[in-house]
């Protein structure tokens, strides 16, 4: 009987000891979480992380919208959306991955996009002016070479490359997602590889309408959306596209998009300002640790993007084998696994 009592005492002692350890572990985890989500010493606590940042331009001062998520003084990722004229909404799936890794990130609508001011002045729609805008946002958010990661997708990738070519000393890490360093090479890939993969009759009808500048024809949008977008922009049936994507498309500013990109998804049309843009021979001057993200079914040539990763002195390539242009959605697991590994490796000093 005494033996049994002794055993029971040992059991309860061990049991309550485990409970106590579990509570302590939970407390530690709660403390870590509370630090990451702690806005109490920040000016933007009142707005839930939202900042309207004044941007000085040659045409006056305008405000751009940003929203900070999380609090990590060592890792701050500024997200540059595509378009031009797109919105931060195309990055909303980052909410499903970055908080768990305690990565601070900032949504941002560029000038003339969605929540930001819309002066609607085409003289402001230049890469140089947008680079200066990013630099003013960086300063306002107190990001520097000890914590500043810049992630640009599509047009945002162009902007990120241009920023790094001028201000790389401010960067801790650079991520170019789904964007080639050369518009002519992008157009060549679309014309020689992607276009011919379409049904020949569909492709001919698309090209005939482009030749006639018949871009306002509803048939053009129908053909491109149902035959090209679902293969190379987001590999899902249109009725399965995430709400954040369809919402982002609905909020796109067509004026700035057409001015800089033009009407076609197969290249830059007419006199659009991005025509001929090419920084491929300057990549070798970017010394910042850089991740190039490509996807097998992307509108951008993944082999070219791998080549880009070898041009920068400190580059890494991430291929999303199941992904397209929005590989953060249609190849999400590979995208975020590789992206988070890159950020953590740079942060720990183990990147090579």
């Amino acid at each position: 009987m005494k033996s049994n009592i002794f055993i029971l005492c040992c059991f309860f002692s061990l049991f309550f000891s485990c409970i106590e350890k579990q509570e302590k572990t939970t407390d530690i985890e709660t403390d870590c979480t509370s630090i990451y989500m702690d806005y109490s010493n920040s000016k933007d606590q009142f707005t839930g992380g939202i900042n309207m940042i004044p941007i000085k331009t040659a045409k006056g001062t305008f405000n751009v919208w940003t929203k900070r998520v999380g609090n990590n003084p060592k890792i701050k990722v500024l997200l540059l959306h595509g378009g031009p004229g797109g919105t931060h909404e195309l990055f909303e799936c980052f909410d499903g991955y970055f908080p768990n890794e305690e990565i601070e990130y900032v949504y941002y609508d560029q000038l003339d996009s969605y929540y930001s001011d819309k002066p609607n002045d085409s003289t402001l729609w230049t890469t140089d002016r947008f680079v200066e805008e990013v630099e003013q946002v960086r300063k306002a958010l107190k990001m520097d070479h000890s914590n500043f990661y810049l992630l640009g997708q599509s047009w945002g990738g162009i902007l990120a490359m241009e920023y790094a070519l001028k201000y790389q000393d401010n960067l801790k890490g650079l991520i170019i997602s789904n964007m080639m360093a050369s518009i002519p090479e992008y157009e060549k890939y679309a014309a020689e590889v992607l276009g011919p993969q379409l049904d020949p009759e569909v492709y001919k009808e698309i090209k005939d309408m482009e030749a006639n500048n018949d871009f306002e024809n509803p048939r053009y949008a129908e053909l491109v959306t149902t035959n090209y977008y679902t293969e190379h922009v987001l590999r899902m049936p249109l009725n399965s596209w995430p709400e954040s994507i369809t919402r982002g498309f609905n909020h796109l500013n067509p004026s700035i998009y057409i001015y800089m990109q033009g009407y076609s998804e197969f290249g830059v049309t007419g006199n659009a300002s991005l025509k001929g843009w090419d920084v491929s021979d300057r990549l070798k001057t970017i010394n910042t640790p850089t991740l190039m993200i490509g996807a097998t079914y992307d509108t951008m040539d993944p082999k070219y993007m791998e080549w880009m990763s070898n041009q920068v002195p400190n580059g890494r390539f991430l291929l999303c084998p199941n992904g397209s242009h929005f590989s953060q959605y249609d190849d999400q697991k590979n995208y975020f696994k590789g992206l988070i590994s890159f950020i953590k490796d740079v942060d720990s000093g183990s990147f090579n």
Side-chain angles (χ1 to χ4, degrees):
M1 183 71 176
K2 289 181 180 179
S3 175
N4 290 340
I5 292 173
F6 176 75
I7 291 172
L8 284 173
C9 288
C10 289
F11 170 78
F12 283 115
S13 175
L14 180 61
F15 175 78
F16 286 114
S17 174
C18 289
I19 292 293
E20 185 179 0
K21 287 180 179 178
Q22 186 176 11
E23 288 176 348
K24 287 181 179 179
T25 302
T26 303
D27 289 341
I28 292 172
E29 291 174 351
T30 301
D31 287 342
C32 290
T33 303
S34 65
I35 291 171
Y36 174 70
M37 296 305 295
D38 184 8
Y39 291 69
S40 60
N41 295 317
S42 304
K43 293 180 180 179
D44 59 8
Q45 181 182 25
F46 178 73
T47 58
I50 294 174
N51 285 282
M52 296 300 291
I53 297 174
I55 301 298
K56 294 180 179 179
T57 76
K59 296 301 182 72
T61 299
F62 305 98
N63 292 316
V64 297
W65 178 92
T66 68
K67 178 178 173 62
R68 174 174 66 93
V69 180
N71 176 27
N72 186 335
K74 293 174 60 183
I75 302 176
K76 301 175 183 294
V77 183
L78 181 63
L79 303 174
L80 303 182
H81 62 69
T87 84
H88 72 277
E89 295 159 298
L90 305 183
F91 289 122
E92 286 184 2
C93 60
F94 281 54
D95 289 350
Y97 291 87
F98 273 12
N100 191 52
E101 302 295 333
E102 297 184 358
I103 294 173
E104 178 180 329
Y105 56 111
V106 178
Y107 292 122
Y108 161 34
D109 284 338
Q110 298 152 31
L111 191 64
D112 268 302
S113 291
Y114 198 31
Y115 285 144
S116 294
D117 287 353
K118 299 180 180 63
N120 197 32
D121 186 335
S122 62
T123 65
L124 300 175
W125 299 341
T126 68
T127 54
D128 289 343
R129 211 278 316 156
F130 276 110
V131 165
E132 296 309 313
E133 176 179 313
V134 173
E135 175 63 358
Q136 292 183 62
V137 169
R138 177 195 71 81
K139 289 179 178 178
L141 296 176
K142 295 180 170 46
M143 298 174 169
D144 58 39
H145 67 277
S146 70
N147 55 31
F148 180 32
Y149 295 78
L150 188 62
L151 186 157
Q153 183 178 41
S154 194
W155 145 252
I158 291 178
L159 183 53
M161 281 182 266
E162 290 281 7
Y163 179 89
L165 287 167
K166 185 171 184 179
Y167 290 116
Q168 65 176 302
D169 288 347
N170 299 330
L171 289 167
K172 186 173 183 178
L174 175 67
I175 301 105
I176 307 300
S177 181
N178 312 91
M179 188 64 227
M180 296 162 67
S182 169
I183 292 294
E185 289 296 324
Y186 149 58
E187 293 173 324
K188 180 181 178 182
Y189 183 66
E192 296 181 0
V193 179
L194 299 184
Q197 290 178 2
L198 293 170
D199 180 284
E201 293 184 4
V202 170
Y203 188 46
K204 183 180 184 302
E205 189 173 357
I206 289 173
K207 297 308 288 183
D208 286 346
M209 282 189 281
E210 289 189 348
N212 294 320
N213 289 316
D214 195 14
F215 295 104
E216 300 297 329
N217 189 330
R219 176 66 174 166
Y220 180 81
E222 177 190 351
L223 288 173
V224 171
T225 302
T226 58
N227 293 278
Y228 191 71
Y229 275 29
T230 53
E231 292 294 324
H232 301 296
V233 175
L234 181 57
R235 290 175 64 80
M236 298 178 183
L238 288 173
N239 59 8
S240 298
W241 279 23
E243 186 271 342
S244 57
I245 295 290
T246 55
R247 179 165 26 96
F249 270 96
N250 288 335
H251 293 150
L252 184 141
N253 182 339
S255 297
I256 183 172
Y257 184 87
I258 293 169
Y259 182 86
M260 298 186 73
Q261 160 76 23
Y263 293 90
S264 175
E265 292 301 328
F266 295 92
V268 176
T269 57
N271 295 318
S273 63
L274 287 174
K275 192 73 176 178
W277 178 85
D278 191 332
V279 297
S280 53
D281 62 345
R282 301 174 62 197
L283 293 176
K284 60 182 177 292
T285 68
I286 299 177
N287 294 306
T288 303
T290 301
L291 177 66
M292 305 291 185
I293 305 177
T296 300
Y297 303 98
D298 196 356
T299 56
M300 304 294 158
D301 183 357
K303 291 183 179 178
Y304 183 91
M305 292 209 63
E306 183 175 13
W307 173 85
M308 288 168 58
S309 71
N310 292 319
Q311 296 305 296
V312 293
N314 297 295
R316 178 185 292 181
F317 178 60
L318 168 63
L319 176 68
C320 295
N322 306 308
S324 61
H325 201 54
F326 291 150
S327 47
Q328 72 268 36
Y329 282 94
D330 55 20
D331 200 359
Q332 200 167 83
K333 300 298 184 183
N334 286 308
Y335 186 95
F336 283 103
K337 180 180 179 181
L339 173 57
I340 290 167
S341 293
F342 168 78
I343 292 171
K344 293 295 184 72
D345 287 348
V346 173
D347 180 60
S348 67
S350 61
F351 177 81
N352 52 46

